Amino acid sequence: MPSHADEDLVDQIYEAALIPDLWPAVLGQMAGRTGSIGAMLFVTNHQAVSRWTACEGAAPIVTDWIREGWPARNTRPARMFAEKRAGWVTEAEIYTPEELLREPDYLGFYHPRGLGHAAGTGIFLPSGDLGVFDIQRARAAGPIGPAGKAFLDRLRPHLGRAALMAARLELERIRASVALLATIGLPAAVLTVSGRVVAANALLDALQGQVIPRAFGRLGFHEPAADALLQAVLSRKDPAAGGSSIPLPALDERPPAVAHVLPMRGMARDLFANAHTLVVVTPLTGGAAPDADLLGGLFDLTPAEARVARGLAEGRTLDHIAAAAGTSLATVRTQLRHVMGKTGTSRQAEIVALLAGARGFAARAEAAPPPTDAAKGQGTGPIPTAKTRSAKPTASLHKG
């Protein structure tokens, strides 16, 4: 029968759905209640782990597990889902003792670290990825017993609902972000780690021809060289290390444009929706320089960095920007390097091109009619979006 401790933990699970920083504490309690070394939560696209979080005891284990490439050799998820069980599954339920002695990850990773007993459960997410909760127990302690498994099974419905609730909240925030970019004239889409479109605004849909849909809900460009560059950027092992800018030639009546592929720094804490990359396409047309506060919000710029970006968009030199700010040219050059790193640009001219589509949020907001459903980022145009389907490691979410 559920105890008051169970009820308190359930409350914390739902709080973690809203505040991701709370997941490590929840996972720590799950590990403690089952006499385990640690618990973890990770998101996978069935090929690689894209995001994860863990309690203090499990964080070093996950770090080593991913760094050494064990997720690709892990057979547990496939066996777990082959059993078609809704609850938690232990290794004893999916392997024979003889099989465990031959499993590469047990021989090469778990046993050398004193591990060897685990339980896990998975939840399919609206992004199309799989969320996996996993608990690791010391080999010497023996497998998780019936009482521990019953405790985990009582939590399973709450973990599933919390994960789905968090995923939907994150997807709504992503759609709101691309809708905001539409209001200032910037076509944009948000992609998962595998390059699948999570959300795209109506302005990006209107670029059909220059921007094209690809197989499996991915994004592409019409011009082959530009498309090859995009796919190369998206296939990087660590695309969040920096952004890239890709020129798009004019097509029919559409002007040339610059596509900026940016890591989702502002959404680095999104675990379940798996927002990973922002693609902003800027048509090369004139326009007023955007507001510095708006720039800071869009590209995670500090106030000083945003002033540098706005100054460049207004046609000022670095000397003028430094004089106006009362700072040294060396400081402004440092701020410029930070702006380039955060906006995926490598030259001042690219920064100006990126900001050319922003007309000034306040003026546009006053003049614009109420947004339609398409302008809210519902993905009604030709660019496909994902459909809903039936380190201080203790305080952060991590990218795989």
Side-chain angles (χ1 to χ4, degrees), residues 296-387:
L298 290 177
F299 299 108
D300 199 25
L301 304 179
T302 66
E305 293 163 358
R307 284 194 297 271
V308 171
R310 177 176 169 82
L312 292 174
E314 292 173 337
R316 298 182 186 181
T317 66
L318 294 184
D319 287 322
H320 290 158
I321 295 171
T327 189
S328 69
L329 180 60
T331 297
V332 171
R333 289 188 186 278
T334 298
Q335 293 163 350
L336 174 60
R337 286 196 297 272
H338 294 165
V339 171
M340 289 178 175
K342 292 179 180 181
T343 59
T345 55
S346 57
R347 295 182 300 144
Q348 294 181 35
E350 291 179 354
I351 296 175
V352 175
L354 173 63
L355 304 180
R359 313 295 190 217
F361 178 72
R364 285 293 296 269
E366 291 176 1
T372 63
D373 286 344
K376 291 177 182 177
Q378 300 301 314
T380 57
I383 305 300
T385 57
K387 300 281 193 289

Side-chain angles (χ1 to χ4, degrees), residues 102-127:
R102 297 191 301 267
E103 275 297 302
D105 52 345
Y106 279 81
L107 289 175
F109 183 82
Y110 294 118
H111 290 173
R113 288 167 171 78
L115 304 171
H117 296 291
T121 190
I123 295 132
F124 287 103
L125 303 172
S127 64

Side-chain angles (χ1 to χ4, degrees), residues 7-383:
E7 293 173 0
D8 290 342
L9 183 53
V10 167
D11 288 343
Q12 293 176 51
I13 287 171
Y14 288 112
E15 289 174 5
L18 301 175
I19 308 172
D21 280 350
L22 299 180
W23 277 116
V26 169
L27 295 168
Q29 290 191 58
M30 291 168 57
R33 292 283 299 277
T34 56
S36 302
I37 289 178
M40 62 203 74
L41 163 59
F42 60 88
V43 174
T44 175
N45 61 5
H46 306 285
Q47 296 176 335
V49 172
S50 57
R51 306 281 177 107
W52 63 272
T53 188
C55 67
E56 186 174 5
I61 298 171
V62 186
T63 300
D64 291 345
W65 185 63
I66 293 174
R67 187 183 64 246
E68 296 176 15
W70 290 104
R73 291 173 276 181
N74 182 21
T75 61
R76 282 180 59 215
R79 292 200 177 210
M80 185 169 66
F81 284 101
E83 289 291 312
K84 297 181 179 179
R85 300 188 187 186
W88 285 73
V89 179
T90 67
E91 80 286 339
E93 295 173 279
I94 54 177
Y95 296 104
T96 66
E98 294 74 23
E99 286 175 329
L100 279 176
L101 293 176
R102 297 191 301 267
E103 275 297 302
D105 52 345
Y106 279 81
L107 289 175
F109 183 82
Y110 294 118
H111 290 173
R113 288 167 171 78
L115 304 171
H117 296 291
T121 190
I123 295 132
F124 287 103
L125 303 172
S127 64
D129 295 320
L130 177 67
V132 177
F133 290 88
D134 190 72
I135 287 185
Q136 291 291 329
R137 186 174 165 91
R139 190 179 183 189
I144 294 176
K149 192 166 179 295
F151 163 72
L152 294 174
D153 281 337
R154 289 197 300 273
L155 295 183
R156 178 29 168 96
H158 304 291
L159 294 169
R161 283 192 288 268
L164 292 174
M165 181 172 72
R168 292 185 179 117
L169 288 171
E170 289 168 6
L171 285 171
E172 286 304 313
R173 186 153 66 92
I174 292 166
R175 292 182 180 126
S177 297
V178 296
L180 170 63
L181 289 166
T183 65
I184 60 170
L186 291 177
V190 173
L191 313 181
T192 68
V193 68
S194 63
R196 188 173 60 254
V197 178
V198 177
N201 62 28
L203 293 182
L204 191 78
D205 293 340
L207 294 179
Q208 186 178 15
Q210 284 175 308
V211 180
I212 59 174
R214 293 172 61 91
F216 307 111
R218 292 179 172 84
L219 194 71
F221 296 140
H222 175 270
E223 205 277 321
D227 189 62
L229 286 172
L230 174 65
Q231 304 313 318
V233 171
L234 295 179
S235 65
R236 290 175 184 167
K237 288 187 177 180
D238 185 17
S244 298
S245 298
I246 301 172
L248 303 179
L251 181 66
D252 298 329
E253 297 180 357
R254 294 185 178 88
V258 177
H260 298 272
V261 186
L262 310 169
M264 294 293 291
R265 300 180 192 276
M267 292 188 181
R269 310 200 75 77
D270 285 352
L271 177 67
F272 296 104
N274 202 8
H276 192 266
T277 304
L278 173 66
V279 177
V280 179
V281 180
T282 306
L284 299 183
T285 57
D291 179 79
D293 288 339
L294 180 60
L295 289 177
L298 290 177
F299 299 108
D300 199 25
L301 304 179
T302 66
E305 293 163 358
R307 284 194 297 271
V308 171
R310 177 176 169 82
L312 292 174
E314 292 173 337
R316 298 182 186 181
T317 66
L318 294 184
D319 287 322
H320 290 158
I321 295 171
T327 189
S328 69
L329 180 60
T331 297
V332 171
R333 289 188 186 278
T334 298
Q335 293 163 350
L336 174 60
R337 286 196 297 272
H338 294 165
V339 171
M340 289 178 175
K342 292 179 180 181
T343 59
T345 55
S346 57
R347 295 182 300 144
Q348 294 181 35
E350 291 179 354
I351 296 175
V352 175
L354 173 63
L355 304 180
R359 313 295 190 217
F361 178 72
R364 285 293 296 269
E366 291 176 1
T372 63
D373 286 344
K376 291 177 182 177
Q378 300 301 314
T380 57
I383 305 300

